[in-house]
Amino acid sequence: MIMMGRFALLVFVAFASMQLLCIAADHDAAIFYDSFEEPFNGRWIVSDKDDYKGIWEHSKSEGHDDYGLLVTEKARKYAIVKELEKPVNLRDGTTVLQYEARFQNGLECGGAYLKYLRPQEAGWKPKEFDNGSPYSIMFGPDICGLTNKVHFILKQKNPKSGEYVEHHLIDPPRVPSDKLSHVYTAILKPDNEISILIDGEVKKKGNFLSAQDFDPPIIPAKTIPDPNEKKPEDWDDRVRIPDPNAVKPDDWDENAPMEIEDMEAVKPEGWLDDEPEEIDDPEATKPEDWDDEEDGVWEAPKIDNPKCQTAPGCGEWKRPMKRNPAFKGIWNPPLVDNPNYKGIWKPRDIPNPNYFELDKPYFDPIAAIGIEIWTMQEGILFDNILIAKDENVAESYRDTTWKPKFVVEKEKKKAEEEAAGSDDLGGFQKKVFDVLYKFADIPFLSKYKLQIL
């Protein structure tokens, strides 16, 4: 038994050692990683720009001993940046961007996205980091009003014009609507595939070169409508027209009213003609401090006449109105097929002078990671920011840094919901809102999205 116990202990030690070695190996495989276990001062640079008054704090994640980078105040702009030891080439193999974000006070109105910046030669300085600092990729959650999405934006140099253009991923995932820690992952593949994961689950896949996945498309259309061509003056695109041979009937009275008195109506028996619908409140008395000269003649407040409550009605009786059977409204000739209809006019397509071809996007290298946000809520926590060249490395970090916290938070949330009981509508409301959000994302309902939200 003693030998078996020693053997089991040796097996456990060996297993634990292997786990530590794997984690260490993953750390070595990471191009950049910051757990924020140490204070960020000296490693991250806070912008000196006047607009960015928000105070960053090295703080524990609520309910954990794990530290992160915390947004501390409402209605503030925040900007902070970390330079990498050397730029990351995004055109070389797979690149994985990953980090954790937690809205500790729930979703209100705030962004929690990262900007992956181009080298400083592009025209920016860490102490002057702001909204205009040039980036290659912007990625992460953003919610306020009708905005609810996990952004992925590629800012690419147009090889024709030389200008940088933002290309937005179409139909990005929604932001999880709770107070839990979530991990956001973007995987950029050498075959131009882009995958967005939330908590390790693929929520969106696309292709950088597909016009269906990015707006505007990274590769422009080969042809465009001729901007110089105009619709001919004699072009008739009316499918149906008023019948030119139609004549208004002689008995059509456009002046007949829509409603007339119902002459068959009879005043109900018991109608109190001489009783008003309202009377002075007999219990009301003139206030002692009322001054007729300053306040005017005092009048008692009105109340419903109690005699009218038992009668069919009070006051002057009038016949009710009914629809006029002679009413026809304004006469319009009926519509007939247009014999001169030529179809819907559109300009002819011509070759797009701005067209170009790419075998993959022109990614500028990443030289720094910045957080530049404007938020109306506090309590947003950033943690475990990672750049890697291997999906397995990112998965390992999720399993070792994010998942243990998430499990604890989820169990705590479940216990709180059970304790709240069935009278708490919070969970039910969340389910209803989640269903509505899904309805709003159905393609054929897209034109009603604003109303649904």
Side-chain angles (χ1 to χ4, degrees), residues 124-143:
W124 68 279
K125 297 178 182 179
K127 283 287 186 180
E128 298 175 6
F129 174 50
D130 63 8
N131 184 51
S133 298
Y135 66 85
S136 289
I137 289 173
M138 182 173 131
F139 170 53
D142 186 18
I143 181 164

Short mmCIF file of all heavy atoms in Angstrom, two decimals, residues 124-143:
data_model
loop_
_atom_site.label_atom_id
_atom_site.label_comp_id
_atom_site.label_asym_id
_atom_site.label_seq_id
_atom_site.Cartn_x
_atom_site.Cartn_y
_atom_site.Cartn_z
N TRP A 124 2.56 58.47 -35.19
CA TRP A 124 1.95 58.58 -33.87
C TRP A 124 3.01 58.41 -32.79
O TRP A 124 4.08 57.85 -33.04
CB TRP A 124 0.83 57.56 -33.67
CG TRP A 124 1.30 56.14 -33.60
CD1 TRP A 124 1.61 55.32 -34.64
CD2 TRP A 124 1.53 55.37 -32.41
NE1 TRP A 124 2.03 54.10 -34.19
CE2 TRP A 124 1.98 54.09 -32.82
CE3 TRP A 124 1.41 55.63 -31.05
CZ2 TRP A 124 2.31 53.08 -31.92
CZ3 TRP A 124 1.72 54.63 -30.15
CH2 TRP A 124 2.16 53.37 -30.58
N LYS A 125 2.71 58.89 -31.59
CA LYS A 125 3.62 58.77 -30.44
C LYS A 125 2.83 58.24 -29.26
O LYS A 125 1.66 58.61 -29.08
CB LYS A 125 4.25 60.11 -30.10
CG LYS A 125 5.14 60.68 -31.20
CD LYS A 125 5.69 62.04 -30.79
CE LYS A 125 6.55 62.63 -31.91
NZ LYS A 125 7.08 63.97 -31.53
N PRO A 126 3.43 57.37 -28.44
CA PRO A 126 2.69 56.77 -27.31
C PRO A 126 2.03 57.80 -26.40
O PRO A 126 0.87 57.62 -26.02
CB PRO A 126 3.78 55.99 -26.57
CG PRO A 126 4.76 55.63 -27.64
CD PRO A 126 4.80 56.79 -28.56
N LYS A 127 2.71 58.88 -26.06
CA LYS A 127 2.14 59.88 -25.16
C LYS A 127 1.03 60.69 -25.82
O LYS A 127 0.26 61.36 -25.15
CB LYS A 127 3.25 60.83 -24.66
CG LYS A 127 4.14 60.24 -23.58
CD LYS A 127 3.41 60.16 -22.25
CE LYS A 127 4.32 59.72 -21.13
NZ LYS A 127 3.60 59.63 -19.83
N GLU A 128 0.96 60.60 -27.15
CA GLU A 128 -0.06 61.34 -27.89
C GLU A 128 -1.08 60.40 -28.53
O GLU A 128 -1.81 60.77 -29.45
CB GLU A 128 0.60 62.19 -28.97
CG GLU A 128 1.55 63.24 -28.41
CD GLU A 128 2.29 63.99 -29.50
OE1 GLU A 128 1.97 63.78 -30.68
OE2 GLU A 128 3.18 64.79 -29.16
N PHE A 129 -1.14 59.18 -28.03
CA PHE A 129 -2.08 58.18 -28.55
C PHE A 129 -3.51 58.68 -28.42
O PHE A 129 -3.94 59.11 -27.35
CB PHE A 129 -1.89 56.87 -27.78
CG PHE A 129 -2.88 55.80 -28.13
CD1 PHE A 129 -3.14 55.46 -29.44
CD2 PHE A 129 -3.58 55.12 -27.13
CE1 PHE A 129 -4.06 54.47 -29.76
CE2 PHE A 129 -4.49 54.13 -27.43
CZ PHE A 129 -4.73 53.81 -28.75
N ASP A 130 -4.25 58.64 -29.54
CA ASP A 130 -5.65 59.09 -29.52
C ASP A 130 -6.43 58.39 -30.62
O ASP A 130 -5.93 57.44 -31.25
CB ASP A 130 -5.74 60.62 -29.65
CG ASP A 130 -5.18 61.14 -30.98
OD1 ASP A 130 -4.86 60.31 -31.88
OD2 ASP A 130 -5.06 62.36 -31.13
N ASN A 131 -7.63 58.89 -30.88
CA ASN A 131 -8.53 58.27 -31.87
C ASN A 131 -7.95 58.28 -33.28
O ASN A 131 -8.29 57.44 -34.10
CB ASN A 131 -9.88 58.99 -31.85
CG ASN A 131 -10.88 58.35 -32.77
OD1 ASN A 131 -11.10 57.15 -32.73
ND2 ASN A 131 -11.50 59.15 -33.62
N GLY A 132 -7.07 59.22 -33.56
CA GLY A 132 -6.49 59.33 -34.90
C GLY A 132 -5.24 58.51 -35.10
O GLY A 132 -4.71 58.49 -36.22
N SER A 133 -4.74 57.85 -34.09
CA SER A 133 -3.52 57.06 -34.22
C SER A 133 -3.77 55.90 -35.19
O SER A 133 -4.76 55.18 -35.06
CB SER A 133 -3.06 56.53 -32.86
OG SER A 133 -2.76 57.60 -31.99
N PRO A 134 -2.88 55.70 -36.17
CA PRO A 134 -3.13 54.71 -37.24
C PRO A 134 -3.02 53.27 -36.74
O PRO A 134 -2.03 52.88 -36.14
CB PRO A 134 -2.03 55.02 -38.26
CG PRO A 134 -0.95 55.68 -37.48
CD PRO A 134 -1.61 56.44 -36.38
N TYR A 135 -4.06 52.50 -37.03
CA TYR A 135 -4.08 51.11 -36.61
C TYR A 135 -4.25 50.19 -37.81
O TYR A 135 -4.67 50.61 -38.89
CB TYR A 135 -5.20 50.86 -35.59
CG TYR A 135 -6.59 51.03 -36.13
CD1 TYR A 135 -7.26 49.99 -36.77
CD2 TYR A 135 -7.26 52.24 -35.97
CE1 TYR A 135 -8.55 50.14 -37.26
CE2 TYR A 135 -8.56 52.41 -36.47
CZ TYR A 135 -9.19 51.36 -37.11
OH TYR A 135 -10.46 51.53 -37.61
N SER A 136 -3.90 48.92 -37.62
CA SER A 136 -4.12 47.90 -38.65
C SER A 136 -5.44 47.19 -38.43
O SER A 136 -6.18 46.92 -39.36
CB SER A 136 -2.98 46.87 -38.65
OG SER A 136 -1.80 47.42 -39.16
N ILE A 137 -5.72 46.87 -37.14
CA ILE A 137 -6.93 46.11 -36.79
C ILE A 137 -7.56 46.70 -35.54
O ILE A 137 -6.85 47.10 -34.61
CB ILE A 137 -6.60 44.62 -36.56
CG1 ILE A 137 -6.23 43.94 -37.89
CG2 ILE A 137 -7.75 43.88 -35.89
CD1 ILE A 137 -5.74 42.52 -37.74
N MET A 138 -8.88 46.75 -35.55
CA MET A 138 -9.64 47.09 -34.35
C MET A 138 -10.56 45.91 -34.06
O MET A 138 -11.26 45.43 -34.96
CB MET A 138 -10.46 48.36 -34.57
CG MET A 138 -11.24 48.83 -33.36
SD MET A 138 -12.01 50.43 -33.68
CE MET A 138 -13.67 50.11 -33.12
N PHE A 139 -10.54 45.45 -32.83
CA PHE A 139 -11.25 44.20 -32.51
C PHE A 139 -11.78 44.25 -31.09
O PHE A 139 -11.07 44.61 -30.16
CB PHE A 139 -10.29 43.01 -32.67
CG PHE A 139 -10.82 41.70 -32.14
CD1 PHE A 139 -12.05 41.20 -32.54
CD2 PHE A 139 -10.08 40.94 -31.23
CE1 PHE A 139 -12.54 40.00 -32.06
CE2 PHE A 139 -10.55 39.73 -30.75
CZ PHE A 139 -11.78 39.26 -31.16
N GLY A 140 -13.06 43.86 -30.92
CA GLY A 140 -13.61 43.72 -29.59
C GLY A 140 -15.02 44.24 -29.45
O GLY A 140 -15.59 44.81 -30.38
N PRO A 141 -15.62 44.06 -28.27
CA PRO A 141 -17.02 44.40 -28.04
C PRO A 141 -17.28 45.90 -27.92
O PRO A 141 -16.45 46.65 -27.42
CB PRO A 141 -17.35 43.68 -26.72
CG PRO A 141 -16.04 43.55 -26.02
CD PRO A 141 -15.01 43.38 -27.09
N ASP A 142 -18.47 46.29 -28.38
CA ASP A 142 -18.90 47.69 -28.30
C ASP A 142 -20.42 47.68 -28.22
O ASP A 142 -21.09 47.05 -29.04
CB ASP A 142 -18.43 48.45 -29.53
CG ASP A 142 -18.73 49.95 -29.44
OD1 ASP A 142 -18.97 50.43 -28.33
OD2 ASP A 142 -18.70 50.63 -30.49
N ILE A 143 -20.97 48.36 -27.20
CA ILE A 143 -22.43 48.39 -27.06
C ILE A 143 -22.86 49.76 -26.56
O ILE A 143 -22.29 50.31 -25.62
CB ILE A 143 -22.93 47.29 -26.08
CG1 ILE A 143 -24.45 47.34 -25.98
CG2 ILE A 143 -22.28 47.40 -24.72
CD1 ILE A 143 -25.07 46.11 -25.38
#
